Amino acid sequence: MVIDKYFGYAFLVLAALVLIVYFKTLDYDFVNFDDDIKIVNNYSKISNLKNIEEAFFTDSYFQKGGYYYRPTLTLSFMFDAMIGGKSPVVYHITNLILHLTACFFLLYLLGLLGFDKIMSLLMTAFFAISPLLINAVVWIPGRNDILAALFLILTFITFIKVFDTKKYWFLVLHFVFFMFAVFSKETALLFPVIMVAYFLLIRKENYIKKQTGMSVLLIVGWVVIITFFLMMRSYAVEPLETKFNMFNKFILNIQMIPNLIGKFILPYNLSGLPAYNIINTISGLAALLTMILLIIFSKNNRNYLLFGFIWLIILILPGMFTNPGNAKFDYLECRAYIPMIGLVIFFTAIFRNEKMKNNDV
């Protein structure tokens, strides 16, 4: 895939779809579910750029000792406050812009992976207007998952470019995007697993040996960024819980995997405050079984299918360590935004032509 008029037309298609589906949300007010605390009640702080430093030493509510460390989200609210004050329309506009930007770069990433143009656009369009992702796009604090996804996509694109071009400025951009991603959400801490999986499955292991120096630089950079993030997080919020408690929460939330997959494929029983549902569980399990069978019996695209599957499962995992059943709901659907990119990669890979190259963007 080369950069041509296709991307211009594709962007217009995506923009039109997003605007048609989400334009009316610009009239929406705050819903008084976290947005009142993070924006309205803390407006005196987010409207003053002198508080940028405080954003890195407090939680997402500008408090000490909480659990959600989200400096990138807080900085984005500060940007909105400078432009539009307390008006919710500005915050909704930013959500739409970020969502559309994430969709465009997702389309570009699918091109880097060597997927068919038409299927890439169709799957990206499906992602752009998926009912499951409404929670992330419409709910203003749900922007956090869009931010994390956008910076992870950019992290992955620059990761590929580092080895395609051997240019060090892509390496610098890669680290910058990864830094923004981890400071958006802890889910990003697992992303090096995805990049290693790409190398082992798509690039092949012998390619790493040819690029030992660059590989070492990448690993060192990841370790430095992750260590720095964990240090900063430890100053601002509560430490991660004990392994025992985290394991218990993981087991109680095991239903999250089939539920999110089921809702992406069959958007049934969606809710701002969702609970696990047997129909979503059954449809998700059926989809999981189908995906596994496709991986097993595929002859040409097995590695690409497996890569999309790994992205999906690995990046669902962090959300499974949260408290189940709080406030009479089990999970937030905005958490599907990042892992569902793996499902997009999986379905697009089904139609991948083996003659295509993955480095022609």
Side-chain angles (χ1 to χ4, degrees):
M1 179 183 290
V2 294
I3 297 178
D4 52 21
K5 292 182 180 180
Y6 160 76
F7 277 104
Y9 294 135
F11 178 79
L12 291 176
V13 170
L14 293 175
L17 288 173
V18 169
L19 287 176
I20 290 171
V21 173
Y22 289 110
F23 182 76
K24 64 180 181 181
T25 66
L26 300 182
D27 290 329
Y28 289 2
D29 204 342
F30 297 114
V31 296
N32 295 324
F33 183 61
D34 278 359
D35 51 11
D36 56 335
I37 304 174
K38 295 182 178 183
I39 299 173
V40 180
N41 296 352
N42 279 320
Y43 181 74
S44 61
K45 292 186 176 182
I46 65 172
S47 61
N48 191 341
L49 293 181
K50 294 181 180 179
N51 295 316
I52 288 179
E53 182 179 352
E54 191 176 353
F56 289 89
F57 289 95
T58 57
D59 67 3
S60 61
Y61 300 93
F62 272 105
Q63 298 174 352
K64 276 281 189 178
Y67 290 99
Y68 298 104
Y69 185 58
R70 306 286 187 263
T72 307
L73 176 66
T74 302
L75 292 178
S76 75
F77 288 155
M78 294 178 118
F79 175 80
D80 286 345
M82 284 193 306
I83 296 176
K86 292 183 179 180
S87 173
V89 65
V90 176
Y91 299 86
H92 284 299
I93 288 174
T94 300
N95 273 32
L96 292 189
I97 292 174
L98 288 171
H99 177 52
L100 181 58
T101 304
C103 291
F104 177 75
F105 281 111
L106 173 58
L107 178 66
Y108 184 83
L109 175 59
L110 296 177
L112 279 180
L113 293 173
F115 296 148
D116 177 74
K117 288 182 178 181
I118 300 301
M119 281 307 304
S120 295
L121 180 57
L122 287 175
M123 286 307 305
T124 304
F126 182 76
F127 178 87
I129 61 173
S130 169
L132 177 60
L133 305 183
I134 288 176
N135 189 275
V137 182
V138 178
W139 182 45
I140 294 172
R143 170 192 308 180
N144 192 67
D145 288 88
I146 304 177
L147 284 167
L150 172 59
F151 286 120
L152 287 178
I153 293 170
L154 291 171
T155 296
F156 193 34
I157 288 173
T158 50
F159 173 73
I160 296 173
K161 288 293 188 179
V162 164
F163 290 97
D164 282 347
T165 67
K166 302 178 181 62
K167 293 180 179 178
Y168 282 92
W169 69 276
F170 276 120
L171 184 67
V172 173
L173 285 176
H174 171 77
F175 290 142
V176 170
F177 291 139
F178 185 53
M179 176 81 77
F180 274 107
V182 295
F183 276 92
S184 297
K185 194 169 187 177
E186 291 84 353
T187 300
L189 296 174
L190 293 180
F191 201 66
V193 176
I194 306 301
M195 291 184 282
V196 171
Y198 168 79
F199 245 132
L200 296 178
L201 294 171
I202 310 301
R203 291 279 187 173
K204 309 299 182 182
E205 186 175 0
N206 60 356
Y207 195 91
I208 299 178
K209 295 178 181 178
K210 297 178 182 178
Q211 300 288 340
T212 303
M214 192 69 77
S215 300
V216 170
L217 285 176
L218 282 165
I219 293 171
V220 171
W222 296 341
V223 171
V224 170
I225 290 171
I226 291 172
T227 302
F228 176 66
F229 167 79
L230 292 175
M231 289 176 57
M232 293 294 293
R233 187 185 187 281
S234 68
Y235 290 125
V237 298
E238 295 291 332
L240 296 175
E241 299 180 65
T242 65
K243 293 180 180 178
F244 179 75
N245 287 337
M246 292 180 72
F247 178 77
N248 281 347
K249 291 177 181 179
F250 177 84
I251 295 301
L252 291 171
N253 279 315
I254 198 72
Q255 217 173 336
M256 185 181 292
I257 295 177
N259 264 248
L260 289 182
I261 297 172
K263 285 186 175 184
F264 188 73
I265 297 173
L266 180 65
Y268 168 78
N269 196 41
L270 303 179
S271 171
L273 301 177
Y276 296 126
N277 177 275
I278 188 62
I279 294 179
N280 297 128
T281 300
I282 292 173
S283 62
L285 288 173
L288 272 173
L289 178 59
T290 302
M291 293 171 71
I292 292 171
L293 291 175
L294 284 171
I295 292 171
I296 293 173
F297 293 105
S298 175
K299 295 181 179 180
N300 298 324
N301 296 329
R302 179 177 299 163
N303 285 359
Y304 285 86
L305 296 174
L306 183 56
F307 173 70
F309 187 80
I310 290 173
W311 181 308
L312 169 69
I313 300 299
I314 292 296
L315 297 181
I316 282 180
L317 297 181
M320 296 171 62
F321 294 103
T322 57
N323 285 320
N326 282 352
K328 298 182 180 179
F329 66 93
D330 297 297
Y331 63 94
L332 292 171
E333 290 168 355
C334 58
R335 294 175 188 161
Y337 199 98
I338 300 172
M340 289 307 115
I341 293 172
L343 209 53
V344 170
I345 292 173
F346 184 95
F347 287 136
T348 313
I350 294 175
F351 299 94
R352 179 180 179 272
N353 187 332
E354 273 296 309
K355 295 181 181 180
M356 295 177 181
K357 297 180 180 180
N358 68 348
N359 60 352
D360 58 350
V361 174

